[in-house]
Amino acid sequence: MATFAQIVGAKIRLYRMEQNLTQEQLAESIGMAATYLGQIERGEKNVKLQTIEKIALALHMSVYDLFSDEKEANLQQKRWLWASVLLLLKHNDAKQRQAYRILRELLEPATEDS
């Protein structure tokens, strides 16, 4: 079962990715190291509410959105999807990018060179 920090971290990552922001871009916008943001997203760090508020503002959302279970409930309806997110969050960014590239290769149609 996921910890509270992992659930909030997963939500931060999802909202960040929805806005097509890299960890580096989000971290820079709030004056934080990208490695620290990665640790937050993986649920490895417990953060102050002040930091959560900065992240929420940078993502143009409320702190409430990070603590509500609407997104989590939607994801948990597809347990395999939520389990995949939590599995990815256990690994560093390099492994996550590698998994994404593999998944993209499997799921996106190949384009032919004309």
Side-chain angles (χ1 to χ4, degrees):
M1 185 155 155
T3 66
F4 184 70
Q6 288 173 322
I7 291 168
V8 172
K11 289 178 186 179
I12 290 170
R13 180 174 297 246
L14 289 173
Y15 281 111
R16 175 181 60 76
M17 292 175 76
E18 282 179 356
Q19 295 183 30
N20 294 316
L21 291 172
T22 65
Q23 281 183 339
E24 291 78 13
Q25 290 169 325
L26 178 58
E28 184 179 320
S29 75
I30 58 175
M32 153 187 310
T35 54
Y36 186 66
L37 179 60
Q39 292 172 324
I40 293 170
E41 288 185 352
R42 289 187 300 277
E44 297 170 356
K45 293 287 182 185
N46 290 316
V47 295
K48 296 179 183 179
L49 284 175
Q50 186 177 30
T51 303
I52 294 290
E53 183 178 30
K54 285 181 185 179
I55 292 170
L57 289 173
L59 293 173
H60 310 289
M61 57 188 293
S62 72
V63 172
Y64 173 78
D65 292 329
L66 288 175
F67 292 104
S68 83
D69 5 348
E70 186 176 326
K71 281 238 185 230
E72 180 186 347
N74 289 339
L75 282 175
Q76 285 185 347
Q77 287 176 359
K78 297 178 180 173
R79 291 186 186 269
W80 57 267
L81 183 57
W82 185 244
S84 299
V85 169
L86 293 178
L87 177 64
L88 285 169
L89 288 173
K90 291 179 182 178
H91 297 280
N92 64 30
D93 286 340
K95 281 280 193 192
Q96 291 170 7
R97 281 192 293 273
Q98 181 183 25
Y100 172 74
R101 285 191 300 271
I102 292 167
L103 186 60
R104 189 180 63 215
E105 283 293 318
L106 288 171
L107 299 177
E108 287 186 351
T111 57
E112 294 183 29
D113 293 331
S114 301

